[in-house]
Amino acid sequence: MTGGKFYRRAVLLLPALLALACAPAASRAEEKSSGELTVALSSLSTETLDPILGGQIVKFYLDQMFDYLVGCNPDGTLSKTDGLARDWEVSADRKRWTFLLRTGVKFHNGDDVTSEDVKFSLQRATGKRSTTGYAGPMRELIADIETPAPDKVVIVTKQPTLIIASYLSRALSTEGMVLSKKYHEAKGDDGFLAHPIGSGPYKFVQRTAGSFLKLEAVDNHWRQGAPGYKNLWFRLVPEETTRIAMLRQGKADIIDISRERVKEVQADGFPIRLRKDDAQINFWWIEPYQGKPLDNPRVREALNLAIDRKELAETIFNGMAAPGPVPWGMSWSYPEVGFKDDALQYKFDPKAAQKLLADAGFGRGIELQLYSYRLPGLPEGQAMAEAIAGYWEAIGVKTKLVPVDYPAFRKKWIDRSDPGGIGYFNVANRNWIGAYAIIDKYANPKEATATMHDPELEKIVLAIPGQVEQDKVNDLMRQLYARLRSEHHGVGLLNIHTPYAVSKRLASWDPGSVMYDLNLDQLTLTKK
Amino acid sequence: MRRFLLQRAIRAVLTLAILSVVIFALARATGDPLTLILPPEASAEDRANVSQELGLDRPWVVQYGRFIGHVLVGDFGISLYHRQPVNELIRDRLPNSMRLAGFAMAVAILLAFPLGVLAAARKDTLFDRGDQVIAILGQSVPTFWLGVVLIETVASRLQWFPPGDIGGLDHYILPGFTLGWFVVAGMMRLLRSGMIEVLDAEYVKLARIKGVIERRVIWQHALKNALIPVVTFMGMYFAILVANAIVVETVFAWPGMGRLAYEAITTRDFPVIQAVVLVAALIVTVANLAIDALYVVIDPRIRHAG
Amino acid sequence: MSDIPLSPIQRVLRRLPGRRTKGRVAGPPLIPLVILVAFVLAAVFAEWVSPGEPYRQALRAGFRPPVWLDAGTWSNLLGTDRLGRDLLTRIIYGARVSLTAGVITVLVATAVGVAVGLVAAYFRGRVDAVLMQLTDATLSIPIILLALILAVTVGPSFGNVVLAIAAILWARYARVIRGEALSLMERDFIALARVAGCSPARIIAVHLFPNILNTVVVLFTLQVGDVIIVEAALSFLGAGIPPPTPAWGSMVADGREFITTAWWVSFFPGLAILMVVLSFNLLGDWLRDRLDPKLRQI
């Protein structure tokens, strides 16, 4: 049973497959895991193995060690086949979410996964120590967690909501990862950190922070049966040339690679796998910029018109990108809410941009600070920033590039210590729930992360979470995107694909589209 | 002689003390670690919670007092980024760096000795010039570039050696060579000028007059004496190796102290920055002390001077 | 550590005339001199000699090869970088940036180092102890590490790179200069100056300083190249002179990823660094043989 087909069918035949949820496991259970798989990456992100610590969540190894409560397909839609919840439903008032757990799932130490573990994990993820992305909103939202039976969890929310299931899947963050309550209480936080256990297909063996992490396959995983490889290595190899050399020498099977080097590696016969549309590159301005040129929408429009998105996509991104003009426009959500951005593309028009600047009273140009830094999954970041600065210079915007590392920029942003300064991020693509969640963070002036002040926008955002009718939600989301684009609240630049180069011995693998996950489940075994 | 060594030791301790203050201040000047630990979406409340948990909300003086108190008993605290005791991180990394530095030093010596001695023996000839160029080449191209070119050619295309990452002896060859060649120039110069001076000295002339064959004069009589300054500066070369290791370890994905230092700085991991700099300085200082002691043994003149 | 005490016999030997010049001393190395002069001229007259503008980008013209390769064009003799900027132009402007950075850094470091070294040697005692203690502490910090911390702290810029490197480099000079000056202090003319009632400042400035100039010149020449290399390492670590300013180090660092597909992007700036650093070193070596043969350690 090949992966792609399986998932496509799963979406179509959900009810039928629910009953057969364990079928794929059974078919592979007799096989034994063997061999080694090495994933060499430019960054292992914050290397803590505790799902609630470390924040930045491009941590592919965690998905191998822990299962999520809610499953997620490779394209980012929710799944009832690959999460611990075999089904869920929400009450009519949208305040009681009931999750039914798969039975017989075991942690790496042999204990059963029960509703108590789910409750414990969720409380921990929304607790004081947690640094996960949505700890705050979840804490606000959840009133109580009930465990009426070992295979049944009920999450009671303070207000009606549609978002709970998405928040607990790997499409968003790590809050949905399920840890063992018993193990944790026996070992404490530090003991857990030294030797974490979960219920995922691979268990922890050894690691050297800043170098590698070694995982070992469990005998039989409920989702996968016997995992494809006996040992799974994640190695940190910052220098790209070194990663490619490792691939050529057979010392690495999967590497991340910059888009510009794809052709070179492909020419040597190494297959490239794309994670399609996994992120949008988005530029924004540090608040508060009232009283600055940026306060004028015409200036913001001029900055957008000055950029040749197509040229960028074709050169620096080597064709693995497409223009995406709406700031924080998450393209996965477009079909869900019935939004289209085709008519909203910015024309590359430096003359019009200059005219807009002049009309706004800045004919003699303005000055900007553009921060430039590296990000996981975006090795082209600094070249892109340099090119953007070049485009802006060409319309008379004096753009000072400030190379920093990301934390330094973040500090300026969070402290708001450089009003009007510009940063960028490759925002993981997401469905409408995720899109709403992230836009709220940037549009809500009360948040430290706010990047725009627009009362109209805020009104729309605030209306969404309490809304329980999907039609109205869709309408609000469309308004939201339209407003972001018409006011030019940032520079929505490109929707990008992320390439991985793989060794010739891997038969097939689809990295999926979820930026936070490598979808290693989909890896077919070594060619025999 | 004992007084000389004691003085050195006191100075070494003072050096480390000054350094601990400087590095403590610098580490805190690099910015707020919270911005890295917490996701962009974290609320002010989350920030306050984590700050308190990590002790970052205390005044600097208190933080320093705690830090130095722990350091004195050999505890560098917990890494903010890795959430792991710093001692463990250093225990994992330090041996890797030491082995690489040792290998690089061996490479440097193997290159520098023949080059330096032969250059001195044929001073001011074309051969001498050529020798000097080879020696200086190592520090005339950026280290990272040399490393990348070696990986691309020797590792990626020819596949003679692994492109780095820790492993057997073959893993040491490319990074060791990249790191070692950098100090060849300095060492070679020292040997060359030392040899030239010694070859000019009365007792060497005497040896020559007595009919000792030239090769023996050079390799035995002269080299032995020209070695003294090289030994003296071994500590400095070692320090240079430690510094350059940051670049080399990054290029070759070598899990050593240099890489740890770089990560710690970019992630504002205070405890690790402090520990790495102090440990590096400690190693260099101890190496210098050892050399001073060794020097006293091999060079009788010091005993009188001390 | 650096000032090896001399035996009485050696001291006598050192003062004997002609000893140092024994043997043939070669003339100045011509090729390095020519290279350096050429680069300095290019740096000074960059506006006139460069064929294009250093900041003009044309993304679609990126990675154009040098003129002698297929697809090369006469408008970009050495090809273009990833943003389609002319490499030759950027290397010429880069000479200005990198040489200036090297020279200014060493000047600052030398000024501080010489001052500290001379003052320590003149006053001896406590002043000496304190200054040398500071020097020791500074020397025990790996130079790249401090530069990295400073660059991350205050943000990378031309000025900060210069300051960061000079903040450590001075200590190397202080050590050497102190050693030199200490032996000068034993000489008769210093004692005479003291008897004649010269102020310490005057003795340092008029009697000591001119006598260590040879050493300063040698150090200076040998270290400019070093600084250019350190700057390149900082660029690699993301803490060098920031783009889009054309500095050789950052050009090599940016181009290193393309050594198989577009080798020229990093090769030509790398070659420029190699030629300049090698030239400075060979010139410095020659100067040292000529002016100050016992200055061996640098």
Coordinates of all heavy atoms in Angstrom, one line a residue, chain A residues 45-46 53-56 128-129 131-133 139 193 207 209-211 235-236 238-239 241-242 245-246 248-249 251 261 405 407-408 410-411 441 449, chain B residues 32 35-41 46 49-50 53 81-84 89 93 148 151-152 155-157 159 161-163 165 250-251 253 255 259 263 266 268:
Chain A
S45 N 16.8 23.4 15.1 CA 16.0 24.3 15.9 C 16.4 24.2 17.4 O 17.5 23.8 17.7 CB 14.5 24.0 15.7 OG 13.7 25.0 16.3
T46 N 15.6 24.7 18.2 CA 15.9 24.6 19.7 C 15.9 23.1 20.0 O 14.9 22.5 19.7 CB 14.9 25.3 20.6 OG1 13.6 25.0 20.2 CG2 15.1 26.8 20.5
L53 N 8.8 23.0 25.5 CA 9.9 23.9 25.6 C 10.5 24.3 24.3 O 10.3 23.6 23.3 CB 11.0 23.4 26.5 CG 10.6 23.1 28.0 CD1 11.8 22.5 28.7 CD2 10.1 24.3 28.7
G54 N 11.1 25.4 24.2 CA 11.9 25.7 23.1 C 11.2 26.6 22.0 O 11.9 27.1 21.1
G55 N 9.9 26.6 22.0 CA 9.2 27.5 21.1 C 9.3 27.1 19.6 O 8.5 26.2 19.2
Q56 N 10.3 27.6 18.9 CA 10.4 27.3 17.5 C 10.2 25.8 17.2 O 10.8 25.0 17.9 CB 11.7 27.7 16.9 CG 11.7 29.1 16.3 CD 11.9 30.2 17.4 OE1 11.9 29.9 18.6 NE2 12.1 31.4 17.0
K128 N 2.3 27.0 33.2 CA 3.2 28.1 33.4 C 4.5 27.9 32.6 O 5.1 28.9 32.1 CB 3.5 28.2 34.9 CG 3.3 29.6 35.4 CD 3.6 29.6 36.9 CE 4.3 30.9 37.3 NZ 4.6 31.0 38.7
R129 N 5.1 26.7 32.6 CA 6.4 26.5 32.0 C 6.4 26.5 30.5 O 7.4 26.6 29.9 CB 7.0 25.2 32.5 CG 7.5 25.2 33.9 CD 8.1 23.8 34.2 NE 9.5 23.7 33.6 CZ 9.9 22.7 32.9 NH1 9.2 21.6 32.7 NH2 11.1 22.7 32.4
T131 N 6.3 27.0 26.7 CA 6.7 28.1 25.8 C 6.2 27.8 24.3 O 6.7 28.3 23.4 CB 8.2 28.3 25.7 OG1 8.8 27.1 25.2 CG2 8.8 28.6 27.1
T132 N 5.2 27.0 24.2 CA 4.7 26.7 22.9 C 3.9 27.9 22.3 O 3.5 28.8 23.0 CB 3.7 25.5 23.0 OG1 2.7 25.8 23.9 CG2 4.4 24.2 23.4
G133 N 3.7 27.8 21.0 CA 3.1 28.9 20.3 C 1.7 29.4 20.8 O 1.5 30.5 20.8
R139 N -4.9 28.5 27.1 CA -5.1 28.7 28.5 C -6.4 29.5 28.7 O -7.2 29.2 29.5 CB -3.9 29.3 29.1 CG -3.9 29.4 30.6 CD -2.5 29.5 31.2 NE -1.8 30.6 30.5 CZ -0.5 30.6 30.1 NH1 0.2 29.5 30.4 NH2 0.1 31.6 29.5
L193 N 13.4 15.0 30.5 CA 14.3 15.6 29.5 C 15.5 14.8 29.2 O 16.0 14.7 28.0 CB 14.7 17.0 30.0 CG 15.0 18.1 29.0 CD1 13.9 18.2 28.0 CD2 15.2 19.4 29.7
R207 N 21.8 11.4 22.4 CA 22.0 12.6 21.6 C 23.2 13.4 22.1 O 23.6 13.3 23.3 CB 20.8 13.5 21.7 CG 20.7 14.3 23.0 CD 19.9 15.5 22.8 NE 19.6 16.1 24.1 CZ 19.2 17.4 24.2 NH1 19.0 18.1 23.2 NH2 18.9 17.8 25.4
A209 N 23.8 17.4 22.0 CA 23.2 18.6 21.6 C 24.2 19.3 20.6 O 25.4 19.4 20.8 CB 23.0 19.5 22.8
G210 N 23.6 19.9 19.6 CA 24.4 20.6 18.6 C 25.1 19.7 17.6 O 25.8 20.1 16.8
S211 N 24.8 18.4 17.7 CA 25.4 17.5 16.8 C 24.5 16.5 16.2 O 24.2 16.5 15.0 CB 26.6 16.8 17.5 OG 27.2 15.9 16.6
R235 N 21.1 14.7 12.1 CA 22.4 15.3 12.3 C 22.4 16.8 11.9 O 21.7 17.2 11.0 CB 23.5 14.6 11.4 CG 23.9 13.3 11.9 CD 25.1 12.7 11.1 NE 25.5 11.5 11.6 CZ 26.2 11.3 12.8 NH1 26.6 12.3 13.4 NH2 26.5 10.1 13.2
L236 N 23.0 17.6 12.7 CA 23.1 19.0 12.5 C 24.4 19.3 11.6 O 25.5 19.1 12.1 CB 23.2 19.8 13.8 CG 23.4 21.3 13.7 CD1 22.3 21.9 12.9 CD2 23.6 21.9 15.0
P238 N 25.5 22.5 9.5 CA 25.1 23.8 9.1 C 25.6 24.2 7.7 O 24.9 24.9 7.0 CB 25.8 24.8 10.1 CG 26.6 23.9 11.0 CD 26.4 22.5 10.7
E239 N 26.8 23.7 7.2 CA 27.3 24.1 6.0 C 26.7 23.2 4.8 O 26.8 22.0 4.9 CB 28.8 24.0 6.0 CG 29.5 24.6 4.8 CD 29.4 26.1 4.7 OE1 29.0 26.8 5.7 OE2 29.6 26.6 3.6
T241 N 27.6 22.8 1.6 CA 28.5 21.9 0.9 C 28.8 20.6 1.6 O 29.0 19.6 1.0 CB 29.8 22.7 0.7 OG1 29.5 24.0 0.1 CG2 30.8 22.0 -0.2
T242 N 28.9 20.7 2.9 CA 29.2 19.5 3.7 C 28.0 18.6 3.7 O 28.2 17.3 3.6 CB 29.5 19.9 5.2 OG1 30.4 21.0 5.2 CG2 30.0 18.8 6.0
A245 N 28.1 16.9 0.4 CA 29.2 15.9 0.3 C 28.8 14.6 1.1 O 29.1 13.5 0.7 CB 30.5 16.4 0.9
M246 N 28.0 14.8 2.2 CA 27.6 13.6 3.0 C 26.6 12.8 2.2 O 26.6 11.6 2.2 CB 26.9 14.1 4.3 CG 27.9 14.6 5.3 SD 27.1 15.2 6.8 CE 26.6 13.7 7.6
R248 N 26.5 12.6 -1.1 CA 27.2 12.0 -2.2 C 28.0 10.8 -1.6 O 28.1 9.8 -2.3 CB 28.3 12.9 -2.8 CG 27.6 14.0 -3.7 CD 28.5 14.3 -4.9 NE 27.8 15.3 -5.7 CZ 28.1 16.6 -5.6 NH1 29.1 17.0 -4.8 NH2 27.5 17.5 -6.4
Q249 N 28.5 10.9 -0.4 CA 29.3 9.8 0.1 C 28.4 8.7 0.8 O 28.8 7.8 1.4 CB 30.3 10.3 1.2 CG 31.4 11.1 0.6 CD 32.6 11.1 1.5 OE1 32.6 10.5 2.6 NE2 33.6 11.9 1.1
K251 N 26.5 9.2 3.4 CA 26.5 9.4 4.8 C 25.2 10.1 5.3 O 25.0 10.3 6.5 CB 27.7 10.1 5.3 CG 29.0 9.3 5.2 CD 30.2 10.1 5.7 CE 31.5 9.4 5.4 NZ 31.6 8.0 6.0
R261 N 20.7 25.4 -5.3 CA 21.6 24.3 -5.6 C 20.9 23.0 -6.0 O 21.5 21.9 -6.2 CB 22.5 24.0 -4.4 CG 23.4 25.1 -4.1 CD 24.5 24.8 -3.1 NE 25.5 23.9 -3.6 CZ 26.6 23.6 -3.0 NH1 26.9 24.2 -1.8 NH2 27.5 22.8 -3.5
D405 N 21.3 38.1 13.7 CA 20.7 36.8 13.8 C 19.3 37.0 14.2 O 18.9 38.0 14.8 CB 21.5 35.8 14.6 CG 21.9 36.4 15.9 OD1 21.5 37.6 16.2 OD2 22.6 35.8 16.7
P407 N 17.3 36.1 16.6 CA 16.9 36.6 17.9 C 17.1 38.1 18.1 O 16.3 38.8 18.8 CB 17.8 35.8 18.9 CG 18.4 34.7 18.1 CD 18.2 35.0 16.6
A408 N 18.2 38.6 17.5 CA 18.4 40.1 17.7 C 17.3 40.9 17.0 O 16.9 41.9 17.6 CB 19.8 40.4 17.1
R410 N 14.3 39.8 16.6 CA 13.1 39.5 17.4 C 13.0 40.5 18.6 O 12.0 40.9 19.0 CB 13.0 38.1 17.9 CG 12.4 37.2 16.9 CD 11.7 36.0 17.6 NE 10.6 36.4 18.5 CZ 10.1 35.7 19.4 NH1 10.7 34.6 19.8 NH2 9.1 36.2 20.1
K411 N 14.2 40.7 19.2 CA 14.2 41.5 20.4 C 13.7 43.0 20.0 O 12.9 43.5 20.7 CB 15.6 41.6 21.0 CG 15.7 42.4 22.2 CD 16.9 42.1 23.0 CE 17.1 43.2 24.1 NZ 15.9 43.2 25.0
K441 N -2.6 37.5 16.2 CA -1.4 37.8 16.9 C -0.7 39.1 16.4 O 0.0 39.8 17.1 CB -0.3 36.7 16.8 CG -0.6 35.5 17.7 CD -0.5 36.0 19.2 CE -0.8 34.8 20.1 NZ -0.6 35.3 21.5
T449 N 3.4 41.2 19.7 CA 3.8 40.9 18.4 C 3.1 41.7 17.3 O 3.3 41.5 16.1 CB 3.5 39.4 18.1 OG1 2.2 39.1 18.6 CG2 4.5 38.5 18.7
Chain B
D32 N 18.4 39.7 24.9 CA 17.5 38.9 25.7 C 17.3 37.5 25.3 O 16.8 37.3 24.1 CB 16.1 39.7 25.8 CG 15.2 39.1 26.8 OD1 15.5 38.0 27.3 OD2 14.2 39.7 27.1
T35 N 13.6 36.1 24.0 CA 13.1 36.3 22.6 C 13.4 35.0 21.8 O 12.6 34.8 20.9 CB 13.7 37.5 21.9 OG1 15.1 37.4 22.0 CG2 13.3 38.8 22.5
L36 N 14.4 34.3 22.2 CA 14.7 33.1 21.4 C 13.9 31.9 22.0 O 13.4 31.1 21.2 CB 16.2 32.8 21.4 CG 16.4 31.7 20.4 CD1 16.6 32.3 19.0 CD2 17.4 30.8 20.8
I37 N 13.9 31.8 23.3 CA 13.3 30.7 23.9 C 11.8 30.6 23.6 O 11.2 29.6 23.3 CB 13.5 30.7 25.4 CG1 15.0 30.5 25.6 CG2 12.8 29.6 26.1 CD1 15.4 30.8 27.1
L38 N 11.2 31.8 23.7 CA 9.7 31.8 23.5 C 9.4 32.1 22.0 O 10.1 32.7 21.3 CB 9.2 33.0 24.3 CG 9.2 32.7 25.8 CD1 9.0 34.0 26.6 CD2 8.2 31.7 26.3
P39 N 8.2 31.5 21.6 CA 7.8 31.7 20.2 C 7.3 33.2 20.1 O 7.0 33.9 21.0 CB 6.6 30.8 20.1 CG 6.1 30.6 21.5 CD 7.3 30.8 22.4
P40 N 7.2 33.6 18.8 CA 6.8 35.0 18.6 C 5.5 35.3 19.2 O 5.2 36.5 19.6 CB 6.7 35.1 17.0 CG 7.4 33.9 16.5 CD 7.5 32.9 17.6
E41 N 4.7 34.3 19.3 CA 3.3 34.6 19.8 C 3.2 34.6 21.3 O 2.1 34.9 21.8 CB 2.4 33.5 19.2 CG 2.3 33.4 17.7 CD 3.4 32.5 17.1 OE1 4.2 32.0 17.8 OE2 3.3 32.3 15.9
D46 N 3.6 35.0 29.7 CA 4.5 33.8 29.4 C 5.9 34.3 29.6 O 6.7 33.5 30.2 CB 4.3 33.3 28.0 CG 2.9 32.7 27.8 OD1 2.4 32.2 28.7 OD2 2.4 32.7 26.6
N49 N 6.8 34.6 33.2 CA 6.9 33.3 33.9 C 8.3 32.7 33.6 O 8.9 32.2 34.5 CB 5.8 32.4 33.3 CG 4.5 32.7 33.8 OD1 4.4 33.3 34.8 ND2 3.5 32.2 33.2
V50 N 8.6 32.7 32.3 CA 9.9 32.0 32.0 C 11.1 32.7 32.5 O 12.0 32.1 33.0 CB 10.0 31.8 30.4 CG1 11.3 31.2 30.1 CG2 8.8 30.9 30.0
E53 N 11.4 31.8 36.0 CA 11.9 30.5 36.2 C 13.4 30.3 36.0 O 14.1 29.6 36.6 CB 11.1 29.5 35.2 CG 11.2 28.1 35.6 CD 11.3 27.2 34.4 OE1 10.7 27.5 33.3 OE2 11.8 26.1 34.5
Y81 N 19.3 27.3 26.4 CA 18.8 26.9 25.1 C 18.6 25.4 25.1 O 17.6 24.9 24.6 CB 19.9 27.4 24.1 CG 19.6 27.1 22.7 CD1 18.6 27.7 22.0 CD2 20.3 26.1 22.0 CE1 18.3 27.5 20.6 CE2 20.0 25.8 20.7 CZ 19.1 26.5 20.0 OH 18.8 26.2 18.7
H82 N 19.6 24.7 25.6 CA 19.6 23.2 25.5 C 18.8 22.6 26.7 O 18.5 21.5 26.7 CB 21.0 22.6 25.4 CG 21.7 23.0 24.1 ND1 21.3 22.5 22.9 CD2 22.8 23.7 23.9 CE1 22.1 23.0 22.0 NE2 23.0 23.7 22.5
R83 N 18.6 23.5 27.7 CA 18.0 23.0 29.0 C 18.7 21.8 29.5 O 18.1 20.7 29.9 CB 16.5 22.6 28.7 CG 15.7 23.8 28.2 CD 15.5 24.8 29.3 NE 14.7 25.9 28.8 CZ 13.5 26.2 29.3 NH1 13.0 25.6 30.2 NH2 12.9 27.3 28.8
Q84 N 20.0 21.9 29.5 CA 20.9 20.7 29.9 C 22.0 21.4 30.7 O 22.4 22.5 30.4 CB 21.5 20.1 28.6 CG 21.7 18.7 28.6 CD 22.3 18.2 27.3 OE1 22.0 18.8 26.3 NE2 23.0 17.1 27.3
L89 N 27.3 19.6 28.4 CA 27.6 20.1 27.1 C 29.1 20.1 26.8 O 29.6 19.7 25.8 CB 27.0 21.5 26.8 CG 25.5 21.5 26.8 CD1 25.0 23.0 26.7 CD2 25.0 20.8 25.6
R93 N 31.6 18.1 24.3 CA 32.3 18.8 23.2 C 33.8 18.9 23.4 O 34.5 18.9 22.4 CB 31.7 20.2 23.1 CG 30.3 20.3 23.1 CD 29.7 20.0 21.7 NE 28.3 20.4 21.6 CZ 27.9 21.3 20.8 NH1 28.8 22.0 20.1 NH2 26.7 21.7 20.8
V148 N 35.6 24.7 2.6 CA 34.6 24.4 1.6 C 35.2 23.9 0.3 O 34.6 22.9 -0.2 CB 33.7 25.7 1.4 CG1 32.8 25.5 0.2 CG2 32.9 26.1 2.6
I151 N 36.1 20.3 0.9 CA 35.0 19.4 1.0 C 34.4 19.1 -0.4 O 34.2 18.0 -0.8 CB 33.9 20.0 1.9 CG1 34.3 20.0 3.3 CG2 32.6 19.3 1.7 CD1 33.4 20.6 4.3
E152 N 34.3 20.2 -1.2 CA 33.8 20.1 -2.5 C 34.6 19.2 -3.4 O 34.1 18.4 -4.2 CB 33.6 21.5 -3.1 CG 32.8 21.5 -4.4 CD 31.4 20.9 -4.3 OE1 30.7 21.3 -3.4 OE2 31.0 20.1 -5.1
A155 N 36.2 15.7 -0.7 CA 35.2 14.8 -0.1 C 34.0 14.6 -1.0 O 33.6 13.4 -1.2 CB 34.6 15.5 1.2
S156 N 33.6 15.6 -1.7 CA 32.4 15.4 -2.5 C 32.7 14.8 -3.9 O 32.0 13.9 -4.3 CB 31.7 16.8 -2.8 OG 30.3 16.7 -2.6
R157 N 33.7 15.2 -4.6 CA 34.0 14.7 -5.9 C 34.9 13.5 -5.8 O 34.5 12.4 -6.3 CB 34.7 15.8 -6.7 CG 33.9 17.0 -6.9 CD 32.8 16.8 -7.9 NE 31.7 17.8 -7.8 CZ 30.5 17.7 -8.4 NH1 30.2 16.7 -9.1 NH2 29.7 18.7 -8.2
Q159 N 35.9 11.9 -3.1 CA 35.4 11.0 -2.1 C 36.6 10.3 -1.4 O 36.5 9.1 -1.1 CB 34.4 10.0 -2.6 CG 33.3 10.7 -3.4 CD 31.9 10.0 -3.2 OE1 31.8 8.9 -2.8 NE2 30.9 10.7 -3.6
F161 N 38.1 11.4 1.5 CA 37.9 11.5 3.0 C 36.5 11.9 3.3 O 35.9 12.6 2.5 CB 38.9 12.5 3.6 CG 40.3 12.1 3.3 CD1 41.1 12.9 2.5 CD2 40.9 11.0 3.8 CE1 42.4 12.6 2.2 CE2 42.2 10.7 3.6 CZ 43.0 11.5 2.7
P162 N 36.0 11.6 4.5 CA 34.7 12.0 4.9 C 34.7 13.6 5.0 O 35.7 14.2 5.4 CB 34.5 11.4 6.2 CG 35.6 10.5 6.5 CD 36.7 10.8 5.5
P163 N 33.5 14.2 4.8 CA 33.4 15.6 4.8 C 33.3 16.2 6.3 O 32.6 17.1 6.5 CB 32.2 15.9 4.0 CG 31.3 14.7 4.3 CD 32.3 13.6 4.4
D165 N 32.3 15.7 10.4 CA 31.5 15.0 11.4 C 32.4 14.0 12.1 O 33.3 13.5 11.5 CB 30.3 14.3 10.7 CG 29.2 14.0 11.7 OD1 29.5 14.1 12.9 OD2 28.1 13.6 11.3
T250 N 32.3 24.8 12.3 CA 31.0 25.1 11.6 C 31.0 24.5 10.2 O 30.1 23.8 9.8 CB 30.8 26.6 11.5 OG1 30.8 27.1 12.8 CG2 29.5 26.9 10.8
V251 N 32.1 24.6 9.5 CA 32.2 24.1 8.1 C 32.1 22.6 8.2 O 31.4 22.0 7.4 CB 33.5 24.6 7.5 CG1 33.7 23.9 6.1 CG2 33.5 26.1 7.3
A253 N 30.9 20.5 10.5 CA 29.9 20.0 11.4 C 30.6 19.2 12.5 O 30.2 18.1 12.8 CB 28.9 19.1 10.6
P255 N 31.3 18.6 16.3 CA 30.6 19.0 17.5 C 31.6 19.3 18.6 O 31.8 18.6 19.5 CB 29.8 17.7 17.9 CG 30.5 16.6 17.2 CD 31.2 17.1 16.0
R259 N 31.9 25.4 17.9 CA 30.5 25.4 17.4 C 29.6 25.7 18.6 O 28.6 26.5 18.4 CB 30.3 24.0 16.9 CG 29.0 23.7 16.2 CD 28.9 24.4 14.9 NE 27.5 24.6 14.6 CZ 27.0 25.7 14.0 NH1 27.8 26.6 13.5 NH2 25.7 25.8 13.8
E263 N 27.0 28.8 18.6 CA 25.5 28.6 18.9 C 25.1 29.4 20.1 O 24.1 30.0 20.1 CB 25.2 27.2 19.1 CG 25.1 26.4 17.9 CD 25.0 24.9 18.1 OE1 24.9 24.5 19.3 OE2 25.1 24.1 17.2
T266 N 24.8 33.2 19.3 CA 23.7 33.5 18.5 C 22.3 33.2 19.2 O 21.3 33.8 18.8 CB 23.6 32.8 17.1 OG1 23.8 31.4 17.4 CG2 24.7 33.3 16.2
R268 N 22.1 33.6 22.5 CA 22.2 34.3 23.8 C 22.2 33.4 25.0 O 21.5 33.6 26.0 CB 21.1 35.3 23.9 CG 21.4 36.6 23.2 CD 20.3 36.9 22.3 NE 20.7 38.0 21.5 CZ 21.1 37.9 20.3 NH1 21.2 36.7 19.7 NH2 21.5 38.9 19.5

